[in-house]
PDB file of all heavy atoms in Angstrom:
ATOM      1  N   PRO L 103      12.353 -18.645 -37.946  1.00  0.00           N
ATOM      2  CA  PRO L 103      10.961 -18.187 -37.971  1.00  0.00           C
ATOM      3  C   PRO L 103      10.848 -16.717 -38.318  1.00  0.00           C
ATOM      4  O   PRO L 103       9.894 -16.288 -38.961  1.00  0.00           O
ATOM      5  CB  PRO L 103      10.481 -18.476 -36.539  1.00  0.00           C
ATOM      6  CG  PRO L 103      11.361 -19.585 -36.070  1.00  0.00           C
ATOM      7  CD  PRO L 103      12.686 -19.342 -36.698  1.00  0.00           C
ATOM      8  N   ALA L 104      11.856 -15.939 -37.902  1.00  0.00           N
ATOM      9  CA  ALA L 104      11.805 -14.499 -38.157  1.00  0.00           C
ATOM     10  C   ALA L 104      11.876 -14.174 -39.634  1.00  0.00           C
ATOM     11  O   ALA L 104      11.542 -13.080 -40.052  1.00  0.00           O
ATOM     12  CB  ALA L 104      12.937 -13.796 -37.416  1.00  0.00           C
ATOM     13  N   ALA L 105      12.345 -15.133 -40.438  1.00  0.00           N
ATOM     14  CA  ALA L 105      12.521 -14.853 -41.855  1.00  0.00           C
ATOM     15  C   ALA L 105      11.394 -15.413 -42.705  1.00  0.00           C
ATOM     16  O   ALA L 105      11.433 -15.322 -43.916  1.00  0.00           O
ATOM     17  CB  ALA L 105      13.850 -15.435 -42.326  1.00  0.00           C
ATOM     18  N   SER L 106      10.394 -15.986 -42.084  1.00  0.00           N
ATOM     19  CA  SER L 106       9.371 -16.664 -42.856  1.00  0.00           C
ATOM     20  C   SER L 106       8.140 -15.784 -43.038  1.00  0.00           C
ATOM     21  O   SER L 106       7.997 -14.725 -42.454  1.00  0.00           O
ATOM     22  CB  SER L 106       8.988 -17.963 -42.141  1.00  0.00           C
ATOM     23  OG  SER L 106       8.456 -17.665 -40.862  1.00  0.00           O
ATOM     24  N   GLY L 107       7.230 -16.275 -43.867  1.00  0.00           N
ATOM     25  CA  GLY L 107       5.959 -15.586 -44.060  1.00  0.00           C
ATOM     26  C   GLY L 107       6.081 -14.393 -44.978  1.00  0.00           C
ATOM     27  O   GLY L 107       7.037 -14.218 -45.713  1.00  0.00           O
ATOM     28  N   ALA L 108       5.064 -13.520 -44.907  1.00  0.00           N
ATOM     29  CA  ALA L 108       4.979 -12.376 -45.802  1.00  0.00           C
ATOM     30  C   ALA L 108       5.499 -11.111 -45.135  1.00  0.00           C
ATOM     31  O   ALA L 108       5.068 -10.009 -45.458  1.00  0.00           O
ATOM     32  CB  ALA L 108       3.539 -12.181 -46.247  1.00  0.00           C
ATOM     33  N   ARG L 109       6.394 -11.251 -44.213  1.00  0.00           N
ATOM     34  CA  ARG L 109       6.955 -10.115 -43.493  1.00  0.00           C
ATOM     35  C   ARG L 109       7.641  -9.150 -44.450  1.00  0.00           C
ATOM     36  O   ARG L 109       8.324  -9.577 -45.375  1.00  0.00           O
ATOM     37  CB  ARG L 109       7.966 -10.659 -42.478  1.00  0.00           C
ATOM     38  CG  ARG L 109       8.408  -9.697 -41.405  1.00  0.00           C
ATOM     39  CD  ARG L 109       9.193 -10.519 -40.400  1.00  0.00           C
ATOM     40  NE  ARG L 109       9.847  -9.684 -39.424  1.00  0.00           N
ATOM     41  CZ  ARG L 109      10.769 -10.139 -38.591  1.00  0.00           C
ATOM     42  NH1 ARG L 109      11.109 -11.406 -38.635  1.00  0.00           N
ATOM     43  NH2 ARG L 109      11.328  -9.348 -37.716  1.00  0.00           N
ATOM     44  N   ARG L 110       7.454  -7.849 -44.214  1.00  0.00           N
ATOM     45  CA  ARG L 110       8.064  -6.828 -45.058  1.00  0.00           C
ATOM     46  C   ARG L 110       9.106  -6.069 -44.249  1.00  0.00           C
ATOM     47  O   ARG L 110       8.875  -5.748 -43.085  1.00  0.00           O
ATOM     48  CB  ARG L 110       6.992  -5.862 -45.570  1.00  0.00           C
ATOM     49  CG  ARG L 110       5.869  -6.552 -46.334  1.00  0.00           C
ATOM     50  CD  ARG L 110       6.284  -6.933 -47.738  1.00  0.00           C
ATOM     51  NE  ARG L 110       6.237  -5.785 -48.630  1.00  0.00           N
ATOM     52  CZ  ARG L 110       6.569  -5.837 -49.925  1.00  0.00           C
ATOM     53  NH1 ARG L 110       6.998  -6.958 -50.442  1.00  0.00           N
ATOM     54  NH2 ARG L 110       6.493  -4.770 -50.680  1.00  0.00           N
ATOM     55  N   PHE L 111      10.230  -5.771 -44.885  1.00  0.00           N
ATOM     56  CA  PHE L 111      11.357  -5.179 -44.178  1.00  0.00           C
ATOM     57  C   PHE L 111      11.689  -3.800 -44.730  1.00  0.00           C
ATOM     58  O   PHE L 111      11.746  -3.608 -45.941  1.00  0.00           O
ATOM     59  CB  PHE L 111      12.581  -6.099 -44.289  1.00  0.00           C
ATOM     60  CG  PHE L 111      12.347  -7.468 -43.715  1.00  0.00           C
ATOM     61  CD1 PHE L 111      11.997  -8.532 -44.538  1.00  0.00           C
ATOM     62  CD2 PHE L 111      12.450  -7.687 -42.354  1.00  0.00           C
ATOM     63  CE1 PHE L 111      11.772  -9.795 -44.019  1.00  0.00           C
ATOM     64  CE2 PHE L 111      12.223  -8.944 -41.818  1.00  0.00           C
ATOM     65  CZ  PHE L 111      11.880  -9.998 -42.649  1.00  0.00           C
ATOM     66  N   GLU L 112      11.902  -2.861 -43.812  1.00  0.00           N
ATOM     67  CA  GLU L 112      12.244  -1.488 -44.183  1.00  0.00           C
ATOM     68  C   GLU L 112      13.747  -1.252 -44.194  1.00  0.00           C
ATOM     69  O   GLU L 112      14.207  -0.229 -44.703  1.00  0.00           O
ATOM     70  CB  GLU L 112      11.580  -0.517 -43.204  1.00  0.00           C
ATOM     71  CG  GLU L 112      10.062  -0.597 -43.211  1.00  0.00           C
ATOM     72  CD  GLU L 112       9.426   0.286 -42.155  1.00  0.00           C
ATOM     73  OE1 GLU L 112      10.183   0.955 -41.413  1.00  0.00           O
ATOM     74  OE2 GLU L 112       8.189   0.311 -42.066  1.00  0.00           O
ATOM     75  N   THR L 113      14.501  -2.173 -43.611  1.00  0.00           N
ATOM     76  CA  THR L 113      15.957  -2.081 -43.552  1.00  0.00           C
ATOM     77  C   THR L 113      16.543  -3.438 -43.905  1.00  0.00           C
ATOM     78  O   THR L 113      16.021  -4.467 -43.474  1.00  0.00           O
ATOM     79  CB  THR L 113      16.423  -1.688 -42.139  1.00  0.00           C
ATOM     80  OG1 THR L 113      15.852  -0.423 -41.791  1.00  0.00           O
ATOM     81  CG2 THR L 113      17.933  -1.602 -42.057  1.00  0.00           C
ATOM     82  N   VAL L 114      17.620  -3.444 -44.693  1.00  0.00           N
ATOM     83  CA  VAL L 114      18.300  -4.695 -45.028  1.00  0.00           C
ATOM     84  C   VAL L 114      19.779  -4.546 -44.667  1.00  0.00           C
ATOM     85  O   VAL L 114      20.436  -3.585 -45.080  1.00  0.00           O
ATOM     86  CB  VAL L 114      18.154  -5.058 -46.513  1.00  0.00           C
ATOM     87  CG1 VAL L 114      18.868  -6.384 -46.799  1.00  0.00           C
ATOM     88  CG2 VAL L 114      16.680  -5.161 -46.906  1.00  0.00           C
ATOM     89  N   LEU L 115      20.279  -5.492 -43.882  1.00  0.00           N
ATOM     90  CA  LEU L 115      21.693  -5.579 -43.534  1.00  0.00           C
ATOM     91  C   LEU L 115      22.319  -6.711 -44.341  1.00  0.00           C
ATOM     92  O   LEU L 115      21.742  -7.793 -44.444  1.00  0.00           O
ATOM     93  CB  LEU L 115      21.865  -5.856 -42.038  1.00  0.00           C
ATOM     94  CG  LEU L 115      21.209  -4.867 -41.076  1.00  0.00           C
ATOM     95  CD1 LEU L 115      21.397  -5.338 -39.635  1.00  0.00           C
ATOM     96  CD2 LEU L 115      21.786  -3.460 -41.257  1.00  0.00           C
ATOM     97  N   PHE L 116      23.483  -6.450 -44.900  1.00  0.00           N
ATOM     98  CA  PHE L 116      24.182  -7.457 -45.685  1.00  0.00           C
ATOM     99  C   PHE L 116      25.539  -7.774 -45.061  1.00  0.00           C
ATOM    100  O   PHE L 116      26.261  -6.875 -44.605  1.00  0.00           O
ATOM    101  CB  PHE L 116      24.438  -6.960 -47.116  1.00  0.00           C
ATOM    102  CG  PHE L 116      23.223  -6.858 -47.977  1.00  0.00           C
ATOM    103  CD1 PHE L 116      22.551  -5.649 -48.094  1.00  0.00           C
ATOM    104  CD2 PHE L 116      22.767  -7.953 -48.693  1.00  0.00           C
ATOM    105  CE1 PHE L 116      21.438  -5.534 -48.911  1.00  0.00           C
ATOM    106  CE2 PHE L 116      21.647  -7.849 -49.514  1.00  0.00           C
ATOM    107  CZ  PHE L 116      20.982  -6.638 -49.628  1.00  0.00           C
ATOM    108  N   ASP L 117      25.903  -9.046 -45.083  1.00  0.00           N
ATOM    109  CA  ASP L 117      27.267  -9.471 -44.841  1.00  0.00           C
ATOM    110  C   ASP L 117      28.110  -9.081 -46.069  1.00  0.00           C
ATOM    111  O   ASP L 117      27.567  -8.784 -47.141  1.00  0.00           O
ATOM    112  CB  ASP L 117      27.269 -10.988 -44.624  1.00  0.00           C
ATOM    113  CG  ASP L 117      28.660 -11.571 -44.560  1.00  0.00           C
ATOM    114  OD1 ASP L 117      29.476 -11.081 -43.756  1.00  0.00           O
ATOM    115  OD2 ASP L 117      28.937 -12.524 -45.312  1.00  0.00           O
ATOM    116  N   PHE L 118      29.428  -9.104 -45.904  1.00  0.00           N
ATOM    117  CA  PHE L 118      30.346  -8.727 -46.988  1.00  0.00           C
ATOM    118  C   PHE L 118      30.837  -9.953 -47.761  1.00  0.00           C
ATOM    119  O   PHE L 118      30.346 -10.274 -48.838  1.00  0.00           O
ATOM    120  CB  PHE L 118      31.525  -7.951 -46.385  1.00  0.00           C
ATOM    121  CG  PHE L 118      32.719  -7.767 -47.289  1.00  0.00           C
ATOM    122  CD1 PHE L 118      32.588  -7.203 -48.544  1.00  0.00           C
ATOM    123  CD2 PHE L 118      33.985  -8.151 -46.862  1.00  0.00           C
ATOM    124  CE1 PHE L 118      33.695  -7.027 -49.373  1.00  0.00           C
ATOM    125  CE2 PHE L 118      35.107  -7.971 -47.666  1.00  0.00           C
ATOM    126  CZ  PHE L 118      34.964  -7.414 -48.928  1.00  0.00           C
ATOM    127  N   SER L 119      31.779 -10.691 -47.179  1.00  0.00           N
ATOM    128  CA  SER L 119      32.429 -11.797 -47.872  1.00  0.00           C
ATOM    129  C   SER L 119      31.502 -12.999 -47.987  1.00  0.00           C
ATOM    130  O   SER L 119      30.944 -13.478 -46.997  1.00  0.00           O
ATOM    131  CB  SER L 119      33.698 -12.203 -47.119  1.00  0.00           C
ATOM    132  OG  SER L 119      34.309 -13.329 -47.709  1.00  0.00           O
ATOM    133  N   GLY L 120      31.328 -13.475 -49.215  1.00  0.00           N
ATOM    134  CA  GLY L 120      30.450 -14.611 -49.458  1.00  0.00           C
ATOM    135  C   GLY L 120      29.010 -14.221 -49.666  1.00  0.00           C
ATOM    136  O   GLY L 120      28.180 -15.075 -50.004  1.00  0.00           O
ATOM    137  N   THR L 121      28.703 -12.941 -49.484  1.00  0.00           N
ATOM    138  CA  THR L 121      27.324 -12.463 -49.643  1.00  0.00           C
ATOM    139  C   THR L 121      27.241 -11.421 -50.754  1.00  0.00           C
ATOM    140  O   THR L 121      26.576 -11.627 -51.762  1.00  0.00           O
ATOM    141  CB  THR L 121      26.801 -11.886 -48.321  1.00  0.00           C
ATOM    142  OG1 THR L 121      26.834 -12.910 -47.323  1.00  0.00           O
ATOM    143  CG2 THR L 121      25.367 -11.382 -48.472  1.00  0.00           C
ATOM    144  N   LEU L 122      27.907 -10.285 -50.581  1.00  0.00           N
ATOM    145  CA  LEU L 122      27.948  -9.268 -51.631  1.00  0.00           C
ATOM    146  C   LEU L 122      29.180  -9.409 -52.517  1.00  0.00           C
ATOM    147  O   LEU L 122      29.138  -9.073 -53.711  1.00  0.00           O
ATOM    148  CB  LEU L 122      27.930  -7.870 -51.014  1.00  0.00           C
ATOM    149  CG  LEU L 122      26.621  -7.434 -50.357  1.00  0.00           C
ATOM    150  CD1 LEU L 122      26.805  -6.084 -49.672  1.00  0.00           C
ATOM    151  CD2 LEU L 122      25.475  -7.372 -51.358  1.00  0.00           C
ATOM    152  N   PHE L 123      30.280  -9.884 -51.936  1.00  0.00           N
ATOM    153  CA  PHE L 123      31.547 -10.037 -52.660  1.00  0.00           C
ATOM    154  C   PHE L 123      32.117 -11.429 -52.429  1.00  0.00           C
ATOM    155  O   PHE L 123      31.821 -12.081 -51.422  1.00  0.00           O
ATOM    156  CB  PHE L 123      32.583  -9.024 -52.168  1.00  0.00           C
ATOM    157  CG  PHE L 123      32.398  -7.620 -52.668  1.00  0.00           C
ATOM    158  CD1 PHE L 123      31.523  -6.757 -52.027  1.00  0.00           C
ATOM    159  CD2 PHE L 123      33.098  -7.155 -53.765  1.00  0.00           C
ATOM    160  CE1 PHE L 123      31.352  -5.452 -52.464  1.00  0.00           C
ATOM    161  CE2 PHE L 123      32.936  -5.850 -54.211  1.00  0.00           C
ATOM    162  CZ  PHE L 123      32.064  -4.990 -53.568  1.00  0.00           C
ATOM    163  N   ARG L 124      32.992 -11.844 -53.337  1.00  0.00           N
ATOM    164  CA  ARG L 124      33.710 -13.107 -53.212  1.00  0.00           C
ATOM    165  C   ARG L 124      35.206 -12.834 -53.396  1.00  0.00           C
ATOM    166  O   ARG L 124      35.612 -12.130 -54.328  1.00  0.00           O
ATOM    167  CB  ARG L 124      33.220 -14.079 -54.279  1.00  0.00           C
ATOM    168  CG  ARG L 124      34.003 -15.368 -54.398  1.00  0.00           C
ATOM    169  CD  ARG L 124      33.610 -16.391 -53.379  1.00  0.00           C
ATOM    170  NE  ARG L 124      34.318 -17.649 -53.612  1.00  0.00           N
ATOM    171  CZ  ARG L 124      34.011 -18.801 -53.051  1.00  0.00           C
ATOM    172  NH1 ARG L 124      32.988 -18.864 -52.215  1.00  0.00           N
ATOM    173  NH2 ARG L 124      34.698 -19.890 -53.320  1.00  0.00           N
ATOM    174  N   ILE L 125      36.025 -13.381 -52.510  1.00  0.00           N
ATOM    175  CA  ILE L 125      37.465 -13.245 -52.622  1.00  0.00           C
ATOM    176  C   ILE L 125      37.966 -14.079 -53.810  1.00  0.00           C
ATOM    177  O   ILE L 125      37.360 -15.100 -54.166  1.00  0.00           O
ATOM    178  CB  ILE L 125      38.156 -13.696 -51.307  1.00  0.00           C
ATOM    179  CG1 ILE L 125      39.653 -13.328 -51.292  1.00  0.00           C
ATOM    180  CG2 ILE L 125      37.951 -15.193 -51.082  1.00  0.00           C
ATOM    181  CD1 ILE L 125      39.935 -11.865 -51.232  1.00  0.00           C
ATOM    182  N   GLU L 126      39.069 -13.669 -54.413  1.00  0.00           N
ATOM    183  CA  GLU L 126      39.641 -14.408 -55.535  1.00  0.00           C
ATOM    184  C   GLU L 126      40.120 -15.795 -55.087  1.00  0.00           C
ATOM    185  O   GLU L 126      40.376 -16.029 -53.903  1.00  0.00           O
ATOM    186  CB  GLU L 126      40.813 -13.623 -56.124  1.00  0.00           C
ATOM    187  CG  GLU L 126      41.986 -13.433 -55.169  1.00  0.00           C
ATOM    188  CD  GLU L 126      43.009 -12.454 -55.703  1.00  0.00           C
ATOM    189  OE1 GLU L 126      43.007 -12.164 -56.910  1.00  0.00           O
ATOM    190  OE2 GLU L 126      43.819 -11.965 -54.886  1.00  0.00           O
TER     191      GLU L 126
END
């Protein structure tokens, strides 16, 4: 529920593996 609707975010946290990068 926290991710739904027209909510606007001032900070974004990203995971590393499988999200921003992929291992060989």
Side-chain angles (χ1 to χ4, degrees):
S106 62
R109 195 170 171 192
R110 303 283 281 179
F111 300 97
E112 299 175 0
T113 301
V114 181
L115 304 176
F116 289 95
D117 172 53
F118 166 54
S119 176
T121 300
L122 290 174
F123 283 84
R124 172 81 175 193
I125 190 68
E126 64 190 343

